[in-house]
Amino acid sequence: MLLDIKNLHVSINGKEILKAFNLTVNKGEVHAIMGPNGTGKSTLAAAITGREGYEITQGEIWFNGELINDMSPDERANKGIFLSFQYPVEIPGVSMTNFMRTALNAKREFNNQPPVSASDFLKKMEEMKNLVEIHSKLTNRSVNEGFSGGEKKKNEIFQMAMLEPTMAILDETDSGLDIDALKVVAKGVNALRADDNGFVVITHYQRLLDFIVPDFVHVMYDGSIVKSGGKELALELEANGYEWIKEAVAEK
Amino acid sequence: MAEGKDHNNILDEVTSGEYKYGFYTDIEMDTAPKGLTEDTIRFISAKKNEPEWMLEFRLKAFKYWLTIAEPNWAHLHHPPIDYQDIIYYAAPKKKPSLSSLDEVDPELLDTFNKLGISLEEQKVLAGVAVDAVIDSVSVKTTFTETLSKKGIIFCSFSEAVREHPELVKKHMGSVVPYRDNYFAALNSAVFSDGSFCYIPKGVRCPVELSTYFRINAANTGQFERTLIVADEGSYVSYLEGCTAPQRDENQLHAAIVEIVAEHNAEVKYSTVQNWYPGDKEGKGGIYNFVTKRGLCRGNHSKISWTQVETGSAITWKYPSCVLKGDNSIGEFYSVAVTNNYQQADTGSKMIHLGKNTKSTIISKGISAGHSNNSYRGMVRVAKKATNSRNFSQCDSLLLGDKCGAHTFPYITTGNESSIVEHEATTSKISEDQLFYCQQRGIDSEKAISLIVNGYAKEVLNKLPMEFAVEAQKLLAITLEGSVG
């Protein structure tokens, strides 16, 4: 079991957003989490990655057999949890190359490994840039500064490829992407899918799931999962919208 | 969530780093009695075997100083300075004239080693001629021979007074007259030593000239004086770097740096200042009142100031350029970091007198802890300075919510054909940026260092390579809680 979330309750400023949320992700699995806006999808991503201000009032998050409720965000990251941000952040004056090298070496230090050599690093950068079709010049620019929407999202997947997480969460990676960029992002993700890692793909639309085919689809509503199924559930949602889910929940 | 450290706690921890270079070198001192009278000045002058004209200059400055009051316009707060409670002269007793590093006092070498600025290393690796100043007297000058072949003079100020009186007489006080301000008058009266540099016509100085200043004895005022003269068509890059040991008493430092650039000459002056800033409660630390000014006397001359200021309890410093020659250029690039209870009131003055003169001011202030960081800048374009151009950019970065950043620009233009631009921004390190870094495995301390270095990059890039690396480390040390 890679990720095991049990009865998770999360509040922001005293307002409960996640309510008795449960999810289990095994190695090799891709889970899609869908649902209307404001049901707590991004809160879930923030809670798993340990963002400040997201208070766990109840429940447990287990990662690789370890309880991570109280772990700092950087420790979780170094243990293999990666978040592809919905809104990637700009850091002026810090080149992507420098940023990536700092991140990679932080992880290596965490694992008692020596810093990566310049040549190995550059080689890996080249390889991963090609994977997500990032222009060479982009990595000389400051982190996300002046990047287009598509470039920012590709850049997230590029970072994921560099850091090789075992648990990757993609938060609305498809938002603001044209179809070509979407295909590139999906190609990157698919290339990284392996037997020893898992993905949680948070998305509002089914479109992304045409390219990143999930093993499981969960529908989230009002802070918890209300329906789970195979990839066909996504098509059902696409066809019927979320209204029927809301009605079903209301009937209960 | 329970594990999420409070944002402010992180910043508190990160920004409460203690001064790393607090140690004290025990070298026998030869000191003047406490206090400042005409006798003190005669004592200093006699100690240095100065000619009569030098003594007269000092006495004139002293008499002027007695008639004026300490300025109080800066955004700084400190208890009154007792000028009679200061020792105005202290020199290491051994005054060697050395030809190799082996002859340097081992304890001094050790001090430099602790600071990570081994003379030996620098001499071999960086090719930097080092004029190390410890408590007011130059102890060591390297590379003098290489330089002298090109006719370059690089020596202590005292030596210049003895060996090159005509050059000193001509230029000393020509850029910063002793009547300029309170601290300039004080320095002119009591200055102990400093550096002198002359680059002859058409000579490009092959190495970066470097001076490490160090304040080293209790209750010792430090009054350095530097004079750099770049003759027609010459070029020199000059580095000044400072660290001081930890002391309880506040120490006064009032230096003067004068630069003269003749026709087509260029001078690049870089400083990394890391004097003892006081402890976390704001006790102790250096009071740093410096007058730095360059005169672009010749046409097409250029003077650049680059500074990274991380130290001192109080900084009062405005490296300036007087653009007298037509088409001359003045530049000022600054990163000023204040932490804990440090106060900095720093900036630049660009005085445009010649036609088609250009100036640039890039100032990056970083405030953390309970500190206050002010930018104060003046741009004045004279009536005759037609078609002149100034661009000023003053950015402030705040870490935490207990510090302050202030900007005081003064702009006057005397003609219609000149353009003066001023831009200012204030920002905070955002939680989003911090979390983004942390999510990539970079801990909060490293993240802040990364973000701050990125913010200051535009200025750090202007520093010579070996200095830039040191400056980056300094920024990290100043802002991180990893030391103590």
Side-chain angles (χ1 to χ4, degrees), chain B residues 319-350:
Chain B
S320 307
C321 297
V322 179
L323 305 172
K324 196 176 172 196
D326 291 345
N327 301 297
S328 59
I329 296 170
E331 293 174 337
F332 174 74
Y333 301 99
S334 169
V335 175
V337 186
T338 52
N339 196 356
N340 298 320
Y341 286 88
Q342 279 176 277
Q343 305 175 61
D345 193 301
T346 183
S348 181
K349 284 197 274 188
M350 293 291 173

PDB file of all heavy atoms in Angstrom, chain B residues 319-350:
ATOM      1  N   PRO B 319      27.068  55.773  -1.013  1.00  0.00           N
ATOM      2  CA  PRO B 319      28.089  55.874  -2.058  1.00  0.00           C
ATOM      3  C   PRO B 319      27.537  56.679  -3.248  1.00  0.00           C
ATOM      4  O   PRO B 319      26.447  56.386  -3.729  1.00  0.00           O
ATOM      5  CB  PRO B 319      28.346  54.423  -2.454  1.00  0.00           C
ATOM      6  CG  PRO B 319      27.938  53.635  -1.254  1.00  0.00           C
ATOM      7  CD  PRO B 319      26.758  54.386  -0.691  1.00  0.00           C
ATOM      8  N   SER B 320      28.263  57.669  -3.658  1.00  0.00           N
ATOM      9  CA  SER B 320      27.716  58.630  -4.610  1.00  0.00           C
ATOM     10  C   SER B 320      28.641  58.862  -5.788  1.00  0.00           C
ATOM     11  O   SER B 320      29.823  58.545  -5.738  1.00  0.00           O
ATOM     12  CB  SER B 320      27.495  59.974  -3.905  1.00  0.00           C
ATOM     13  OG  SER B 320      26.721  59.775  -2.750  1.00  0.00           O
ATOM     14  N   CYS B 321      28.097  59.440  -6.829  1.00  0.00           N
ATOM     15  CA  CYS B 321      28.908  59.812  -7.978  1.00  0.00           C
ATOM     16  C   CYS B 321      28.605  61.259  -8.360  1.00  0.00           C
ATOM     17  O   CYS B 321      27.438  61.649  -8.453  1.00  0.00           O
ATOM     18  CB  CYS B 321      28.578  58.938  -9.191  1.00  0.00           C
ATOM     19  SG  CYS B 321      28.937  57.197  -8.942  1.00  0.00           S
ATOM     20  N   VAL B 322      29.654  62.007  -8.570  1.00  0.00           N
ATOM     21  CA  VAL B 322      29.511  63.351  -9.116  1.00  0.00           C
ATOM     22  C   VAL B 322      29.931  63.260 -10.574  1.00  0.00           C
ATOM     23  O   VAL B 322      31.091  62.990 -10.886  1.00  0.00           O
ATOM     24  CB  VAL B 322      30.399  64.356  -8.360  1.00  0.00           C
ATOM     25  CG1 VAL B 322      30.245  65.743  -8.965  1.00  0.00           C
ATOM     26  CG2 VAL B 322      30.037  64.375  -6.878  1.00  0.00           C
ATOM     27  N   LEU B 323      28.951  63.421 -11.465  1.00  0.00           N
ATOM     28  CA  LEU B 323      29.222  63.217 -12.890  1.00  0.00           C
ATOM     29  C   LEU B 323      29.543  64.562 -13.527  1.00  0.00           C
ATOM     30  O   LEU B 323      28.686  65.238 -14.077  1.00  0.00           O
ATOM     31  CB  LEU B 323      28.010  62.549 -13.554  1.00  0.00           C
ATOM     32  CG  LEU B 323      27.583  61.238 -12.891  1.00  0.00           C
ATOM     33  CD1 LEU B 323      26.268  60.736 -13.454  1.00  0.00           C
ATOM     34  CD2 LEU B 323      28.675  60.176 -13.034  1.00  0.00           C
ATOM     35  N   LYS B 324      30.806  64.915 -13.419  1.00  0.00           N
ATOM     36  CA  LYS B 324      31.237  66.218 -13.877  1.00  0.00           C
ATOM     37  C   LYS B 324      31.601  66.220 -15.355  1.00  0.00           C
ATOM     38  O   LYS B 324      31.238  67.118 -16.107  1.00  0.00           O
ATOM     39  CB  LYS B 324      32.456  66.647 -13.039  1.00  0.00           C
ATOM     40  CG  LYS B 324      32.766  68.130 -13.143  1.00  0.00           C
ATOM     41  CD  LYS B 324      33.921  68.457 -12.208  1.00  0.00           C
ATOM     42  CE  LYS B 324      34.396  69.883 -12.418  1.00  0.00           C
ATOM     43  NZ  LYS B 324      35.716  70.093 -11.832  1.00  0.00           N
ATOM     44  N   GLY B 325      32.300  65.186 -15.765  1.00  0.00           N
ATOM     45  CA  GLY B 325      32.706  65.093 -17.163  1.00  0.00           C
ATOM     46  C   GLY B 325      31.507  64.808 -18.063  1.00  0.00           C
ATOM     47  O   GLY B 325      30.576  64.108 -17.670  1.00  0.00           O
ATOM     48  N   ASP B 326      31.543  65.352 -19.280  1.00  0.00           N
ATOM     49  CA  ASP B 326      30.477  65.048 -20.230  1.00  0.00           C
ATOM     50  C   ASP B 326      30.488  63.564 -20.540  1.00  0.00           C
ATOM     51  O   ASP B 326      31.540  62.921 -20.573  1.00  0.00           O
ATOM     52  CB  ASP B 326      30.681  65.837 -21.533  1.00  0.00           C
ATOM     53  CG  ASP B 326      30.455  67.331 -21.316  1.00  0.00           C
ATOM     54  OD1 ASP B 326      29.866  67.698 -20.265  1.00  0.00           O
ATOM     55  OD2 ASP B 326      30.883  68.124 -22.172  1.00  0.00           O
ATOM     56  N   ASN B 327      29.307  62.995 -20.775  1.00  0.00           N
ATOM     57  CA  ASN B 327      29.156  61.572 -21.103  1.00  0.00           C
ATOM     58  C   ASN B 327      29.675  60.635 -20.022  1.00  0.00           C
ATOM     59  O   ASN B 327      29.952  59.468 -20.287  1.00  0.00           O
ATOM     60  CB  ASN B 327      29.858  61.230 -22.423  1.00  0.00           C
ATOM     61  CG  ASN B 327      29.326  62.037 -23.578  1.00  0.00           C
ATOM     62  OD1 ASN B 327      28.152  61.934 -23.927  1.00  0.00           O
ATOM     63  ND2 ASN B 327      30.168  62.898 -24.136  1.00  0.00           N
ATOM     64  N   SER B 328      29.832  61.105 -18.824  1.00  0.00           N
ATOM     65  CA  SER B 328      30.312  60.199 -17.772  1.00  0.00           C
ATOM     66  C   SER B 328      29.136  59.386 -17.210  1.00  0.00           C
ATOM     67  O   SER B 328      27.971  59.742 -17.379  1.00  0.00           O
ATOM     68  CB  SER B 328      31.028  60.970 -16.667  1.00  0.00           C
ATOM     69  OG  SER B 328      30.178  61.921 -16.080  1.00  0.00           O
ATOM     70  N   ILE B 329      29.504  58.275 -16.559  1.00  0.00           N
ATOM     71  CA  ILE B 329      28.495  57.311 -16.109  1.00  0.00           C
ATOM     72  C   ILE B 329      28.700  56.975 -14.631  1.00  0.00           C
ATOM     73  O   ILE B 329      29.825  56.710 -14.192  1.00  0.00           O
ATOM     74  CB  ILE B 329      28.591  55.999 -16.931  1.00  0.00           C
ATOM     75  CG1 ILE B 329      28.271  56.286 -18.402  1.00  0.00           C
ATOM     76  CG2 ILE B 329      27.645  54.934 -16.380  1.00  0.00           C
ATOM     77  CD1 ILE B 329      28.568  55.118 -19.325  1.00  0.00           C
ATOM     78  N   GLY B 330      27.633  56.984 -13.885  1.00  0.00           N
ATOM     79  CA  GLY B 330      27.688  56.571 -12.487  1.00  0.00           C
ATOM     80  C   GLY B 330      26.720  55.434 -12.246  1.00  0.00           C
ATOM     81  O   GLY B 330      25.606  55.438 -12.768  1.00  0.00           O
ATOM     82  N   GLU B 331      27.160  54.421 -11.451  1.00  0.00           N
ATOM     83  CA  GLU B 331      26.286  53.290 -11.168  1.00  0.00           C
ATOM     84  C   GLU B 331      26.330  52.948  -9.699  1.00  0.00           C
ATOM     85  O   GLU B 331      27.374  53.064  -9.053  1.00  0.00           O
ATOM     86  CB  GLU B 331      26.718  52.055 -11.976  1.00  0.00           C
ATOM     87  CG  GLU B 331      26.543  52.197 -13.458  1.00  0.00           C
ATOM     88  CD  GLU B 331      27.111  51.006 -14.229  1.00  0.00           C
ATOM     89  OE1 GLU B 331      28.000  50.308 -13.683  1.00  0.00           O
ATOM     90  OE2 GLU B 331      26.675  50.792 -15.357  1.00  0.00           O
ATOM     91  N   PHE B 332      25.211  52.482  -9.195  1.00  0.00           N
ATOM     92  CA  PHE B 332      25.143  52.058  -7.802  1.00  0.00           C
ATOM     93  C   PHE B 332      24.268  50.811  -7.724  1.00  0.00           C
ATOM     94  O   PHE B 332      23.106  50.837  -8.097  1.00  0.00           O
ATOM     95  CB  PHE B 332      24.539  53.178  -6.949  1.00  0.00           C
ATOM     96  CG  PHE B 332      24.279  52.792  -5.514  1.00  0.00           C
ATOM     97  CD1 PHE B 332      25.324  52.653  -4.612  1.00  0.00           C
ATOM     98  CD2 PHE B 332      22.979  52.588  -5.053  1.00  0.00           C
ATOM     99  CE1 PHE B 332      25.083  52.307  -3.279  1.00  0.00           C
ATOM    100  CE2 PHE B 332      22.732  52.244  -3.725  1.00  0.00           C
ATOM    101  CZ  PHE B 332      23.781  52.106  -2.843  1.00  0.00           C
ATOM    102  N   TYR B 333      24.863  49.717  -7.293  1.00  0.00           N
ATOM    103  CA  TYR B 333      24.126  48.468  -7.131  1.00  0.00           C
ATOM    104  C   TYR B 333      24.266  48.036  -5.678  1.00  0.00           C
ATOM    105  O   TYR B 333      25.378  47.887  -5.183  1.00  0.00           O
ATOM    106  CB  TYR B 333      24.684  47.371  -8.032  1.00  0.00           C
ATOM    107  CG  TYR B 333      24.646  47.727  -9.498  1.00  0.00           C
ATOM    108  CD1 TYR B 333      25.783  48.200 -10.140  1.00  0.00           C
ATOM    109  CD2 TYR B 333      23.464  47.594 -10.234  1.00  0.00           C
ATOM    110  CE1 TYR B 333      25.751  48.547 -11.483  1.00  0.00           C
ATOM    111  CE2 TYR B 333      23.431  47.933 -11.572  1.00  0.00           C
ATOM    112  CZ  TYR B 333      24.570  48.400 -12.195  1.00  0.00           C
ATOM    113  OH  TYR B 333      24.539  48.737 -13.512  1.00  0.00           O
ATOM    114  N   SER B 334      23.159  47.846  -5.023  1.00  0.00           N
ATOM    115  CA  SER B 334      23.254  47.586  -3.590  1.00  0.00           C
ATOM    116  C   SER B 334      22.290  46.508  -3.110  1.00  0.00           C
ATOM    117  O   SER B 334      21.137  46.449  -3.529  1.00  0.00           O
ATOM    118  CB  SER B 334      22.959  48.885  -2.831  1.00  0.00           C
ATOM    119  OG  SER B 334      22.791  48.635  -1.458  1.00  0.00           O
ATOM    120  N   VAL B 335      22.799  45.643  -2.239  1.00  0.00           N
ATOM    121  CA  VAL B 335      21.940  44.754  -1.468  1.00  0.00           C
ATOM    122  C   VAL B 335      22.207  45.073  -0.013  1.00  0.00           C
ATOM    123  O   VAL B 335      23.353  44.999   0.439  1.00  0.00           O
ATOM    124  CB  VAL B 335      22.276  43.260  -1.701  1.00  0.00           C
ATOM    125  CG1 VAL B 335      21.430  42.378  -0.791  1.00  0.00           C
ATOM    126  CG2 VAL B 335      22.050  42.877  -3.139  1.00  0.00           C
ATOM    127  N   ALA B 336      21.204  45.471   0.714  1.00  0.00           N
ATOM    128  CA  ALA B 336      21.374  45.745   2.136  1.00  0.00           C
ATOM    129  C   ALA B 336      20.435  44.849   2.920  1.00  0.00           C
ATOM    130  O   ALA B 336      19.229  44.860   2.704  1.00  0.00           O
ATOM    131  CB  ALA B 336      21.085  47.212   2.427  1.00  0.00           C
ATOM    132  N   VAL B 337      21.022  44.039   3.793  1.00  0.00           N
ATOM    133  CA  VAL B 337      20.228  43.120   4.602  1.00  0.00           C
ATOM    134  C   VAL B 337      20.259  43.572   6.047  1.00  0.00           C
ATOM    135  O   VAL B 337      21.329  43.844   6.592  1.00  0.00           O
ATOM    136  CB  VAL B 337      20.803  41.686   4.551  1.00  0.00           C
ATOM    137  CG1 VAL B 337      19.873  40.717   5.268  1.00  0.00           C
ATOM    138  CG2 VAL B 337      21.026  41.250   3.131  1.00  0.00           C
ATOM    139  N   THR B 338      19.114  43.660   6.665  1.00  0.00           N
ATOM    140  CA  THR B 338      19.096  43.933   8.104  1.00  0.00           C
ATOM    141  C   THR B 338      18.291  42.842   8.785  1.00  0.00           C
ATOM    142  O   THR B 338      17.281  42.389   8.266  1.00  0.00           O
ATOM    143  CB  THR B 338      18.460  45.300   8.416  1.00  0.00           C
ATOM    144  OG1 THR B 338      17.192  45.391   7.770  1.00  0.00           O
ATOM    145  CG2 THR B 338      19.348  46.439   7.958  1.00  0.00           C
ATOM    146  N   ASN B 339      18.776  42.436   9.957  1.00  0.00           N
ATOM    147  CA  ASN B 339      18.121  41.371  10.705  1.00  0.00           C
ATOM    148  C   ASN B 339      18.092  41.781  12.171  1.00  0.00           C
ATOM    149  O   ASN B 339      18.753  42.748  12.559  1.00  0.00           O
ATOM    150  CB  ASN B 339      18.918  40.074  10.496  1.00  0.00           C
ATOM    151  CG  ASN B 339      18.125  38.842  10.906  1.00  0.00           C
ATOM    152  OD1 ASN B 339      17.005  38.948  11.410  1.00  0.00           O
ATOM    153  ND2 ASN B 339      18.696  37.686  10.686  1.00  0.00           N
ATOM    154  N   ASN B 340      17.370  41.022  12.983  1.00  0.00           N
ATOM    155  CA  ASN B 340      17.279  41.317  14.421  1.00  0.00           C
ATOM    156  C   ASN B 340      16.980  42.800  14.628  1.00  0.00           C
ATOM    157  O   ASN B 340      15.982  43.284  14.144  1.00  0.00           O
ATOM    158  CB  ASN B 340      18.557  40.869  15.129  1.00  0.00           C
ATOM    159  CG  ASN B 340      18.759  39.360  15.004  1.00  0.00           C
ATOM    160  OD1 ASN B 340      17.792  38.606  15.111  1.00  0.00           O
ATOM    161  ND2 ASN B 340      19.976  38.926  14.744  1.00  0.00           N
ATOM    162  N   TYR B 341      17.890  43.541  15.322  1.00  0.00           N
ATOM    163  CA  TYR B 341      17.608  44.954  15.568  1.00  0.00           C
ATOM    164  C   TYR B 341      18.495  45.893  14.741  1.00  0.00           C
ATOM    165  O   TYR B 341      18.722  47.036  15.114  1.00  0.00           O
ATOM    166  CB  TYR B 341      17.738  45.259  17.064  1.00  0.00           C
ATOM    167  CG  TYR B 341      16.578  44.708  17.860  1.00  0.00           C
ATOM    168  CD1 TYR B 341      16.620  43.413  18.354  1.00  0.00           C
ATOM    169  CD2 TYR B 341      15.433  45.466  18.087  1.00  0.00           C
ATOM    170  CE1 TYR B 341      15.547  42.877  19.060  1.00  0.00           C
ATOM    171  CE2 TYR B 341      14.361  44.943  18.794  1.00  0.00           C
ATOM    172  CZ  TYR B 341      14.423  43.648  19.275  1.00  0.00           C
ATOM    173  OH  TYR B 341      13.354  43.134  19.959  1.00  0.00           O
ATOM    174  N   GLN B 342      19.028  45.410  13.656  1.00  0.00           N
ATOM    175  CA  GLN B 342      19.883  46.266  12.818  1.00  0.00           C
ATOM    176  C   GLN B 342      19.085  47.407  12.188  1.00  0.00           C
ATOM    177  O   GLN B 342      17.891  47.261  11.917  1.00  0.00           O
ATOM    178  CB  GLN B 342      20.478  45.432  11.679  1.00  0.00           C
ATOM    179  CG  GLN B 342      21.678  44.608  12.065  1.00  0.00           C
ATOM    180  CD  GLN B 342      22.116  43.764  10.894  1.00  0.00           C
ATOM    181  OE1 GLN B 342      21.576  42.706  10.646  1.00  0.00           O
ATOM    182  NE2 GLN B 342      23.096  44.241  10.152  1.00  0.00           N
ATOM    183  N   GLN B 343      19.780  48.512  11.942  1.00  0.00           N
ATOM    184  CA  GLN B 343      19.160  49.627  11.234  1.00  0.00           C
ATOM    185  C   GLN B 343      20.090  50.050  10.102  1.00  0.00           C
ATOM    186  O   GLN B 343      21.281  50.213  10.315  1.00  0.00           O
ATOM    187  CB  GLN B 343      18.980  50.831  12.159  1.00  0.00           C
ATOM    188  CG  GLN B 343      18.212  50.561  13.435  1.00  0.00           C
ATOM    189  CD  GLN B 343      18.202  51.795  14.334  1.00  0.00           C
ATOM    190  OE1 GLN B 343      17.701  52.837  13.943  1.00  0.00           O
ATOM    191  NE2 GLN B 343      18.765  51.670  15.515  1.00  0.00           N
ATOM    192  N   ALA B 344      19.516  50.244   8.947  1.00  0.00           N
ATOM    193  CA  ALA B 344      20.314  50.724   7.820  1.00  0.00           C
ATOM    194  C   ALA B 344      19.603  51.891   7.153  1.00  0.00           C
ATOM    195  O   ALA B 344      18.400  51.839   6.903  1.00  0.00           O
ATOM    196  CB  ALA B 344      20.538  49.603   6.810  1.00  0.00           C
ATOM    197  N   ASP B 345      20.335  52.957   6.943  1.00  0.00           N
ATOM    198  CA  ASP B 345      19.840  54.073   6.157  1.00  0.00           C
ATOM    199  C   ASP B 345      20.893  54.243   5.080  1.00  0.00           C
ATOM    200  O   ASP B 345      21.986  54.757   5.324  1.00  0.00           O
ATOM    201  CB  ASP B 345      19.710  55.327   7.028  1.00  0.00           C
ATOM    202  CG  ASP B 345      18.908  56.427   6.342  1.00  0.00           C
ATOM    203  OD1 ASP B 345      19.323  56.856   5.252  1.00  0.00           O
ATOM    204  OD2 ASP B 345      17.879  56.863   6.901  1.00  0.00           O
ATOM    205  N   THR B 346      20.604  53.712   3.915  1.00  0.00           N
ATOM    206  CA  THR B 346      21.635  53.676   2.887  1.00  0.00           C
ATOM    207  C   THR B 346      21.029  53.891   1.510  1.00  0.00           C
ATOM    208  O   THR B 346      19.830  53.706   1.321  1.00  0.00           O
ATOM    209  CB  THR B 346      22.445  52.355   2.946  1.00  0.00           C
ATOM    210  OG1 THR B 346      23.486  52.401   1.977  1.00  0.00           O
ATOM    211  CG2 THR B 346      21.583  51.147   2.697  1.00  0.00           C
ATOM    212  N   GLY B 347      21.848  54.329   0.594  1.00  0.00           N
ATOM    213  CA  GLY B 347      21.384  54.629  -0.755  1.00  0.00           C
ATOM    214  C   GLY B 347      22.490  55.306  -1.511  1.00  0.00           C
ATOM    215  O   GLY B 347      23.661  55.012  -1.281  1.00  0.00           O
ATOM    216  N   SER B 348      22.143  56.196  -2.402  1.00  0.00           N
ATOM    217  CA  SER B 348      23.160  56.783  -3.255  1.00  0.00           C
ATOM    218  C   SER B 348      22.772  58.191  -3.664  1.00  0.00           C
ATOM    219  O   SER B 348      21.609  58.575  -3.595  1.00  0.00           O
ATOM    220  CB  SER B 348      23.320  55.905  -4.507  1.00  0.00           C
ATOM    221  OG  SER B 348      24.325  56.436  -5.339  1.00  0.00           O
ATOM    222  N   LYS B 349      23.780  58.932  -4.061  1.00  0.00           N
ATOM    223  CA  LYS B 349      23.518  60.238  -4.658  1.00  0.00           C
ATOM    224  C   LYS B 349      24.144  60.262  -6.041  1.00  0.00           C
ATOM    225  O   LYS B 349      25.284  59.843  -6.219  1.00  0.00           O
ATOM    226  CB  LYS B 349      24.160  61.359  -3.819  1.00  0.00           C
ATOM    227  CG  LYS B 349      23.400  61.686  -2.554  1.00  0.00           C
ATOM    228  CD  LYS B 349      23.835  63.033  -2.001  1.00  0.00           C
ATOM    229  CE  LYS B 349      25.055  62.903  -1.116  1.00  0.00           C
ATOM    230  NZ  LYS B 349      25.385  64.156  -0.405  1.00  0.00           N
ATOM    231  N   MET B 350      23.398  60.730  -7.003  1.00  0.00           N
ATOM    232  CA  MET B 350      23.941  60.895  -8.354  1.00  0.00           C
ATOM    233  C   MET B 350      23.777  62.368  -8.716  1.00  0.00           C
ATOM    234  O   MET B 350      22.647  62.859  -8.837  1.00  0.00           O
ATOM    235  CB  MET B 350      23.173  60.022  -9.355  1.00  0.00           C
ATOM    236  CG  MET B 350      23.377  58.527  -9.136  1.00  0.00           C
ATOM    237  SD  MET B 350      25.056  58.015  -9.532  1.00  0.00           S
ATOM    238  CE  MET B 350      25.036  56.295  -8.984  1.00  0.00           C
TER     239      MET B 350
END
